[in-house]
Amino acid sequence: MGDRAARIYLVGFMGSGKTSAGSALARRLDVPFVDLDLAFESMSGETIRETFERRGEAWFRERETTLLRGTASLDRAVLALGGGTFVFADNAAFVKAHGLSVFLDAPFEVIAGRLLGKTFDRPLFRSLDEARSLYDARLPYYKMADWTIEVTAKDDVETVVDRIERVLTGGVGSGVDVR
């Protein structure tokens, strides 16, 4: 991996597979894996939902940005960003300057199936309609990632990781969808 490719940032909506694919990719590449949401919860001692309820989304986003900035100190790593992290221009610019971004493009129907029954730990997933609106609003930002990897309902984690590895090793042209 080149210098910028030393850090791989996975972006996408909640339930797109960033944590599963990210941890598997990191194992394959023999580099550390960091899930930004899990790192926040570990450091704060509360869930993101609790943080949203107690302190508000703006407070959380400030801390999320601070955590993201800290990833520049990692020599090599795979990082799963929170679903909203890449939506903010400063965060997207930071990611572009310090690593490669990979959008895990799972259709909303796949995401909805994965998240059913998990609304308790997703602060911005109160209903399917609200989640759909949020997904639609965030999609244009996700598409600004360096790479887009298609994720279907039939894909297992290893298939997704294979696709990511193909783009990292130069198996396909810049910015194309990998199926």
Side-chain angles (χ1 to χ4, degrees):
M1 291 192 292
D3 185 45
R4 209 172 70 109
R7 285 175 294 281
I8 309 302
Y9 294 90
L10 301 182
V11 303
F13 201 67
M14 57 184 121
S16 63
K18 299 180 302 281
T19 300
S20 300
S23 61
L25 178 62
R27 277 191 306 276
R28 219 184 259 191
L29 298 175
D30 195 27
V31 300
F33 171 68
V34 177
D35 180 303
L36 215 60
D37 284 347
L38 295 177
F40 172 84
E41 290 180 346
S42 175
M43 292 171 69
S44 71
E46 61 186 20
T47 67
I48 293 171
R49 176 179 283 286
E50 290 168 339
T51 300
F52 270 54
E53 291 169 356
R54 291 183 187 156
R55 304 171 193 265
E57 183 176 358
W59 189 91
F60 167 75
R61 295 296 177 195
E62 289 174 13
R63 272 84 201 152
E64 176 184 58
T65 297
T66 300
L67 275 174
L68 177 64
R69 298 292 182 273
T71 66
S73 67
L74 300 171
D75 289 334
R76 293 171 41 108
V78 174
L79 304 108
L81 301 186
T85 310
F86 199 69
V87 171
F88 295 91
D90 288 350
N91 290 344
F94 174 86
V95 167
K96 295 259 185 190
H98 293 91
L100 293 176
S101 54
V102 178
F103 167 39
L104 298 186
D105 187 8
F108 184 76
E109 295 70 29
V110 171
I111 289 168
R114 291 177 178 176
L115 294 180
L116 267 158
K118 294 183 180 180
T119 59
F120 62 89
D121 62 347
R122 307 287 179 159
L124 297 178
F125 187 78
R126 294 178 208 76
S127 75
L128 207 52
D129 288 339
E130 285 183 25
R132 180 63 198 226
S133 294
L134 188 60
Y135 173 88
D136 290 341
R138 288 179 173 177
L139 196 56
Y141 298 98
Y142 298 150
K143 289 184 175 185
M144 290 190 271
D146 296 313
W147 301 96
T148 296
I149 304 294
E150 181 181 77
V151 179
T152 71
K154 296 183 280 185
D155 295 334
D156 62 14
V157 171
E158 294 306 315
T159 300
V160 174
V161 172
D162 287 345
R163 290 179 186 146
I164 296 169
E165 260 196 323
R166 277 204 325 260
V167 301
L168 295 178
T169 58
V172 294
S174 176
V176 300
D177 289 334
V178 177
R179 300 179 198 328

